[in-house]
Amino acid sequence: MSDPFAEPRARLLDKLQRDGIDDKAVLDTIARVPREAFVPETFHKHAYDDTALPIDENQTVSQPLVVAMMTQALSLNRRSKVLEVGTGSGYQAAILSQLCRRLYTVERRRGLLNQAEQRFTALGLTNVTTLLTDGYEGWPQQAPFDRIMVTAAAHDVPDPLIEQLADSGVLIAPVGDRIEGQRLVRVTKENGVVGREDLGGVRFVPLVEGIDTSGI
Ligand code: SAH
């Protein structure tokens, strides 16, 4: 049977390359992980558009270019132990899981986390561990992490996350209070010295304090 997503997927991969994604491992992973499995059925026809798409509970799955750019900027390797804050649909988590040793992902909304967990199981992703928690606190019991990716914007990078970053670690996070002025920052730690660099403008939903167990 022919794959209805083959053509749009190939078009997306061409676009990502034209837009500067040159990490072959990242491109191969985007080619392999079925984005349609992470979005509501009504959006299947747009699963490979280079746009953010709505998921449940007023949240969004990021634009593929942003997923690719952030993943590339994290400089993952097969030995990395990685924390993602903001599981959402689970799409970014699925991408990260293919490029690292173990992915820990935390989400504050029970309903979204349940759905993401079902997707990880259905796709046979065995190196993903999830937790319902407030990502402002990170996951101290599992720290330190070689890499941390935050996929919702806070006023600034939460201190516990910087503390939970291993030496030689890399953290990527959107920061800024208003959606218009958000910046993506890369934080590094070398011999205990924390460095910071601006990677450009982005738009993410806000990082919200506390957990929400009301979801489906
Ligand atoms: N990485 C996601 C994108 C998620 S959108 C994906 O690939 O689909 C941001 C997510 O962060 C939302 O699901 C939102 O509920 C979650 N979030 C917001 N504040 C949070 C917090 N304090 N702790 C954990 N998750 C949070």
Side-chain angles (χ1 to χ4, degrees), residues 97-113:
S97 77
Q98 299 302 291
L99 295 163
C100 72
R101 179 166 56 86
R102 182 155 282 280
L103 177 74
Y104 296 85
T105 182
V106 301
E107 170 58 53
R108 65 176 291 278
R109 291 176 177 269
R110 179 77 260 175
L112 291 178
L113 194 58

PDB file of all heavy atoms in Angstrom, residues 97-113:
ATOM      1  N   SER A  97      14.277  10.928  21.615  1.00  0.00           N
ATOM      2  CA  SER A  97      14.537   9.562  22.101  1.00  0.00           C
ATOM      3  C   SER A  97      15.362   8.745  21.101  1.00  0.00           C
ATOM      4  O   SER A  97      16.078   7.828  21.493  1.00  0.00           O
ATOM      5  CB  SER A  97      13.228   8.842  22.415  1.00  0.00           C
ATOM      6  OG  SER A  97      12.600   8.409  21.213  1.00  0.00           O
ATOM      7  N   GLN A  98      15.228   9.102  19.820  1.00  0.00           N
ATOM      8  CA  GLN A  98      15.951   8.353  18.779  1.00  0.00           C
ATOM      9  C   GLN A  98      17.416   8.762  18.678  1.00  0.00           C
ATOM     10  O   GLN A  98      18.196   8.131  17.960  1.00  0.00           O
ATOM     11  CB  GLN A  98      15.282   8.581  17.407  1.00  0.00           C
ATOM     12  CG  GLN A  98      13.850   8.120  17.357  1.00  0.00           C
ATOM     13  CD  GLN A  98      13.737   6.642  17.692  1.00  0.00           C
ATOM     14  OE1 GLN A  98      14.163   5.791  16.931  1.00  0.00           O
ATOM     15  NE2 GLN A  98      13.199   6.341  18.865  1.00  0.00           N
ATOM     16  N   LEU A  99      17.771   9.839  19.363  1.00  0.00           N
ATOM     17  CA  LEU A  99      19.117  10.401  19.197  1.00  0.00           C
ATOM     18  C   LEU A  99      19.923  10.390  20.486  1.00  0.00           C
ATOM     19  O   LEU A  99      21.001  10.962  20.558  1.00  0.00           O
ATOM     20  CB  LEU A  99      18.998  11.845  18.687  1.00  0.00           C
ATOM     21  CG  LEU A  99      18.378  11.990  17.285  1.00  0.00           C
ATOM     22  CD1 LEU A  99      17.911  13.420  17.046  1.00  0.00           C
ATOM     23  CD2 LEU A  99      19.388  11.571  16.221  1.00  0.00           C
ATOM     24  N   CYS A 100      19.348   9.781  21.540  1.00  0.00           N
ATOM     25  CA  CYS A 100      20.049   9.792  22.830  1.00  0.00           C
ATOM     26  C   CYS A 100      19.889   8.438  23.523  1.00  0.00           C
ATOM     27  O   CYS A 100      19.226   7.544  23.012  1.00  0.00           O
ATOM     28  CB  CYS A 100      19.506  10.910  23.714  1.00  0.00           C
ATOM     29  SG  CYS A 100      17.857  10.625  24.359  1.00  0.00           S
ATOM     30  N   ARG A 101      20.544   8.306  24.677  1.00  0.00           N
ATOM     31  CA  ARG A 101      20.455   7.037  25.405  1.00  0.00           C
ATOM     32  C   ARG A 101      19.115   6.917  26.120  1.00  0.00           C
ATOM     33  O   ARG A 101      18.408   5.917  26.004  1.00  0.00           O
ATOM     34  CB  ARG A 101      21.600   6.952  26.421  1.00  0.00           C
ATOM     35  CG  ARG A 101      21.601   5.691  27.256  1.00  0.00           C
ATOM     36  CD  ARG A 101      22.925   5.506  27.971  1.00  0.00           C
ATOM     37  NE  ARG A 101      23.287   6.651  28.798  1.00  0.00           N
ATOM     38  CZ  ARG A 101      22.885   6.833  30.043  1.00  0.00           C
ATOM     39  NH1 ARG A 101      22.095   5.957  30.626  1.00  0.00           N
ATOM     40  NH2 ARG A 101      23.267   7.899  30.720  1.00  0.00           N
ATOM     41  N   ARG A 102      18.762   7.929  26.883  1.00  0.00           N
ATOM     42  CA  ARG A 102      17.493   7.879  27.606  1.00  0.00           C
ATOM     43  C   ARG A 102      16.888   9.264  27.682  1.00  0.00           C
ATOM     44  O   ARG A 102      17.599  10.244  27.929  1.00  0.00           O
ATOM     45  CB  ARG A 102      17.685   7.307  29.022  1.00  0.00           C
ATOM     46  CG  ARG A 102      16.383   7.187  29.800  1.00  0.00           C
ATOM     47  CD  ARG A 102      16.439   6.138  30.880  1.00  0.00           C
ATOM     48  NE  ARG A 102      16.302   4.784  30.361  1.00  0.00           N
ATOM     49  CZ  ARG A 102      15.148   4.207  30.022  1.00  0.00           C
ATOM     50  NH1 ARG A 102      14.007   4.853  30.139  1.00  0.00           N
ATOM     51  NH2 ARG A 102      15.132   2.978  29.565  1.00  0.00           N
ATOM     52  N   LEU A 103      15.597   9.346  27.430  1.00  0.00           N
ATOM     53  CA  LEU A 103      14.891  10.623  27.493  1.00  0.00           C
ATOM     54  C   LEU A 103      13.916  10.624  28.659  1.00  0.00           C
ATOM     55  O   LEU A 103      13.070   9.732  28.775  1.00  0.00           O
ATOM     56  CB  LEU A 103      14.109  10.874  26.200  1.00  0.00           C
ATOM     57  CG  LEU A 103      13.325  12.189  26.312  1.00  0.00           C
ATOM     58  CD1 LEU A 103      14.250  13.380  26.197  1.00  0.00           C
ATOM     59  CD2 LEU A 103      12.215  12.273  25.315  1.00  0.00           C
ATOM     60  N   TYR A 104      14.040  11.634  29.499  1.00  0.00           N
ATOM     61  CA  TYR A 104      13.095  11.876  30.589  1.00  0.00           C
ATOM     62  C   TYR A 104      12.253  13.065  30.161  1.00  0.00           C
ATOM     63  O   TYR A 104      12.805  14.091  29.748  1.00  0.00           O
ATOM     64  CB  TYR A 104      13.861  12.203  31.872  1.00  0.00           C
ATOM     65  CG  TYR A 104      14.697  11.030  32.333  1.00  0.00           C
ATOM     66  CD1 TYR A 104      15.968  10.804  31.824  1.00  0.00           C
ATOM     67  CD2 TYR A 104      14.187  10.116  33.249  1.00  0.00           C
ATOM     68  CE1 TYR A 104      16.725   9.705  32.210  1.00  0.00           C
ATOM     69  CE2 TYR A 104      14.927   9.016  33.647  1.00  0.00           C
ATOM     70  CZ  TYR A 104      16.189   8.814  33.119  1.00  0.00           C
ATOM     71  OH  TYR A 104      16.910   7.720  33.510  1.00  0.00           O
ATOM     72  N   THR A 105      10.939  12.925  30.205  1.00  0.00           N
ATOM     73  CA  THR A 105      10.106  14.047  29.769  1.00  0.00           C
ATOM     74  C   THR A 105       9.023  14.324  30.796  1.00  0.00           C
ATOM     75  O   THR A 105       8.400  13.392  31.328  1.00  0.00           O
ATOM     76  CB  THR A 105       9.533  13.812  28.341  1.00  0.00           C
ATOM     77  OG1 THR A 105       8.763  14.975  27.952  1.00  0.00           O
ATOM     78  CG2 THR A 105       8.671  12.571  28.225  1.00  0.00           C
ATOM     79  N   VAL A 106       8.829  15.600  31.137  1.00  0.00           N
ATOM     80  CA  VAL A 106       7.865  15.972  32.171  1.00  0.00           C
ATOM     81  C   VAL A 106       6.794  16.885  31.587  1.00  0.00           C
ATOM     82  O   VAL A 106       7.058  17.693  30.705  1.00  0.00           O
ATOM     83  CB  VAL A 106       8.544  16.649  33.391  1.00  0.00           C
ATOM     84  CG1 VAL A 106       9.581  15.720  34.009  1.00  0.00           C
ATOM     85  CG2 VAL A 106       9.179  17.986  33.038  1.00  0.00           C
ATOM     86  N   GLU A 107       5.583  16.725  32.106  1.00  0.00           N
ATOM     87  CA  GLU A 107       4.425  17.485  31.617  1.00  0.00           C
ATOM     88  C   GLU A 107       3.552  17.822  32.815  1.00  0.00           C
ATOM     89  O   GLU A 107       3.423  17.025  33.739  1.00  0.00           O
ATOM     90  CB  GLU A 107       3.658  16.616  30.589  1.00  0.00           C
ATOM     91  CG  GLU A 107       2.299  17.110  30.139  1.00  0.00           C
ATOM     92  CD  GLU A 107       2.314  18.498  29.515  1.00  0.00           C
ATOM     93  OE1 GLU A 107       3.095  18.735  28.580  1.00  0.00           O
ATOM     94  OE2 GLU A 107       1.543  19.353  29.992  1.00  0.00           O
ATOM     95  N   ARG A 108       2.903  19.003  32.806  1.00  0.00           N
ATOM     96  CA  ARG A 108       2.060  19.404  33.937  1.00  0.00           C
ATOM     97  C   ARG A 108       0.596  19.018  33.742  1.00  0.00           C
ATOM     98  O   ARG A 108      -0.200  19.126  34.665  1.00  0.00           O
ATOM     99  CB  ARG A 108       2.174  20.913  34.199  1.00  0.00           C
ATOM    100  CG  ARG A 108       1.636  21.790  33.087  1.00  0.00           C
ATOM    101  CD  ARG A 108       1.704  23.272  33.454  1.00  0.00           C
ATOM    102  NE  ARG A 108       0.773  23.607  34.524  1.00  0.00           N
ATOM    103  CZ  ARG A 108      -0.529  23.864  34.353  1.00  0.00           C
ATOM    104  NH1 ARG A 108      -1.072  23.813  33.152  1.00  0.00           N
ATOM    105  NH2 ARG A 108      -1.286  24.168  35.387  1.00  0.00           N
ATOM    106  N   ARG A 109       0.210  18.600  32.523  1.00  0.00           N
ATOM    107  CA  ARG A 109      -1.189  18.264  32.250  1.00  0.00           C
ATOM    108  C   ARG A 109      -1.369  16.754  32.106  1.00  0.00           C
ATOM    109  O   ARG A 109      -0.848  16.140  31.173  1.00  0.00           O
ATOM    110  CB  ARG A 109      -1.655  18.950  30.961  1.00  0.00           C
ATOM    111  CG  ARG A 109      -1.767  20.444  31.085  1.00  0.00           C
ATOM    112  CD  ARG A 109      -2.147  21.053  29.749  1.00  0.00           C
ATOM    113  NE  ARG A 109      -2.327  22.479  29.860  1.00  0.00           N
ATOM    114  CZ  ARG A 109      -3.505  23.059  30.143  1.00  0.00           C
ATOM    115  NH1 ARG A 109      -4.592  22.336  30.291  1.00  0.00           N
ATOM    116  NH2 ARG A 109      -3.572  24.360  30.240  1.00  0.00           N
ATOM    117  N   ARG A 110      -2.136  16.194  33.044  1.00  0.00           N
ATOM    118  CA  ARG A 110      -2.353  14.741  33.079  1.00  0.00           C
ATOM    119  C   ARG A 110      -2.900  14.204  31.744  1.00  0.00           C
ATOM    120  O   ARG A 110      -2.448  13.183  31.237  1.00  0.00           O
ATOM    121  CB  ARG A 110      -3.326  14.419  34.223  1.00  0.00           C
ATOM    122  CG  ARG A 110      -3.696  12.969  34.406  1.00  0.00           C
ATOM    123  CD  ARG A 110      -2.589  12.176  35.080  1.00  0.00           C
ATOM    124  NE  ARG A 110      -1.814  11.432  34.108  1.00  0.00           N
ATOM    125  CZ  ARG A 110      -0.732  10.717  34.383  1.00  0.00           C
ATOM    126  NH1 ARG A 110      -0.278  10.659  35.609  1.00  0.00           N
ATOM    127  NH2 ARG A 110      -0.089  10.079  33.461  1.00  0.00           N
ATOM    128  N   GLY A 111      -3.897  14.901  31.172  1.00  0.00           N
ATOM    129  CA  GLY A 111      -4.546  14.418  29.943  1.00  0.00           C
ATOM    130  C   GLY A 111      -3.564  14.296  28.793  1.00  0.00           C
ATOM    131  O   GLY A 111      -3.562  13.293  28.062  1.00  0.00           O
ATOM    132  N   LEU A 112      -2.736  15.319  28.622  1.00  0.00           N
ATOM    133  CA  LEU A 112      -1.753  15.283  27.533  1.00  0.00           C
ATOM    134  C   LEU A 112      -0.727  14.185  27.776  1.00  0.00           C
ATOM    135  O   LEU A 112      -0.327  13.466  26.855  1.00  0.00           O
ATOM    136  CB  LEU A 112      -1.039  16.639  27.410  1.00  0.00           C
ATOM    137  CG  LEU A 112      -1.889  17.805  26.909  1.00  0.00           C
ATOM    138  CD1 LEU A 112      -1.063  19.086  26.880  1.00  0.00           C
ATOM    139  CD2 LEU A 112      -2.445  17.511  25.517  1.00  0.00           C
ATOM    140  N   LEU A 113      -0.301  14.047  29.038  1.00  0.00           N
ATOM    141  CA  LEU A 113       0.728  13.042  29.335  1.00  0.00           C
ATOM    142  C   LEU A 113       0.206  11.628  29.059  1.00  0.00           C
ATOM    143  O   LEU A 113       0.914  10.808  28.477  1.00  0.00           O
ATOM    144  CB  LEU A 113       1.197  13.185  30.784  1.00  0.00           C
ATOM    145  CG  LEU A 113       2.492  12.442  31.117  1.00  0.00           C
ATOM    146  CD1 LEU A 113       3.639  12.917  30.225  1.00  0.00           C
ATOM    147  CD2 LEU A 113       2.871  12.615  32.576  1.00  0.00           C
TER     148      LEU A 113
END
